[in-house]
Amino acid sequence: MLEVTPAAERPKVHEIRTYLRGPLLEMDAGDVDLPDAIRGPLDYLAQALHSRSQLGLVLAFPAAPFVLGLASDDLYGFVDYARAHPTHSVRLRRINQAASHPVWELRSAEHPEAYALRFGLPERVEAWIVEQDEGMPSRTRYVKRSMLSTMTLYWMDGEHAQTFQLRYEPGELRLDG
């Protein structure tokens, strides 16, 4: 959708975020004026995310030009922890999982057993990481420290919307057991 749109006509990231807040978070999208060619796919995405969510929906807006949909086996484990700690540090890692694309996981830095949220990065970002030349500084580390350094998460469950702030903290993820 955006790839065929001339650069000068592409919406800004904040415009896409603001627009998606309307259908996903039932918030006023303000006066965001997006062309139908952009608005249609965003409406489809919002509808698909709502229809696939049975326990609620968690969207992450990282310090990057994309939005992440987060999944968990225990969504309420995350929600309970995040309600008690609305701003907290997290650790990130790529996990080995049988999937068609790499999967990332984030956990609380202080209490990693409290929850695990999984997500996939955009295809182009993953391709850029994989194409890294040997001996170059780690692109995975760069992605963590720049694109995923802070994330604002929105959790939707029926009529309720809550916001949480997560900050990446470098370090090894230690799980007991």
Side-chain angles (χ1 to χ4, degrees):
M1 136 181 92
L2 290 177
E3 296 162 353
V4 296
T5 305
E9 297 174 22
R10 291 182 190 160
K12 307 259 186 285
V13 173
H14 75 86
E15 292 173 320
I16 293 172
R17 288 179 176 184
T18 301
Y19 181 79
L20 283 173
R21 286 184 185 116
L24 292 175
L25 303 175
E26 297 178 9
M27 296 173 67
D28 180 21
D31 59 352
V32 176
D33 185 29
L34 298 176
D36 289 340
I38 304 278
R39 196 178 285 261
L42 290 176
D43 289 341
Y44 178 79
L45 172 66
Q47 181 183 11
L49 288 171
H50 266 302
S51 68
R52 292 181 185 158
S53 174
Q54 298 190 0
L55 296 176
L57 174 67
V58 178
L59 287 180
F61 291 84
F66 48 79
V67 178
L68 301 171
L70 304 176
S72 176
D73 293 335
D74 179 14
L75 181 61
Y76 289 108
F78 164 73
V79 172
D80 290 342
Y81 185 86
R83 281 181 172 158
H85 307 90
T87 299
H88 63 272
S89 296
V90 296
R91 299 274 165 76
L92 292 161
R93 68 180 179 154
R94 290 172 90 188
I95 59 175
N96 294 327
Q97 182 173 318
S100 61
H101 59 280
V103 175
W104 288 70
E105 180 179 78
L106 68 84
R107 292 178 178 262
S108 163
E110 291 209 12
H111 300 100
E113 69 287 346
Y115 67 85
L117 295 172
R118 291 177 185 86
F119 60 92
L121 288 177
E123 200 173 300
R124 284 186 172 182
V125 175
E126 284 293 350
W128 179 74
I129 291 170
V130 172
E131 291 169 359
Q132 174 175 310
D133 293 330
E134 238 180 271
M136 296 288 292
S138 170
R139 288 185 178 174
T140 300
R141 191 175 309 124
Y142 173 79
V143 167
K144 289 178 182 180
R145 292 183 175 172
S146 62
M147 295 179 187
L148 303 176
S149 61
T150 60
M151 291 186 226
T152 302
L153 274 62
Y154 295 94
W155 173 63
M156 282 298 302
D157 185 30
E159 300 279 325
H160 309 293
Q162 292 194 332
T163 304
F164 309 110
Q165 185 75 35
L166 307 184
R167 294 189 180 107
Y168 168 66
E169 180 180 294
E172 189 174 326
L173 182 60
R174 297 180 190 263
L175 295 172
D176 296 329

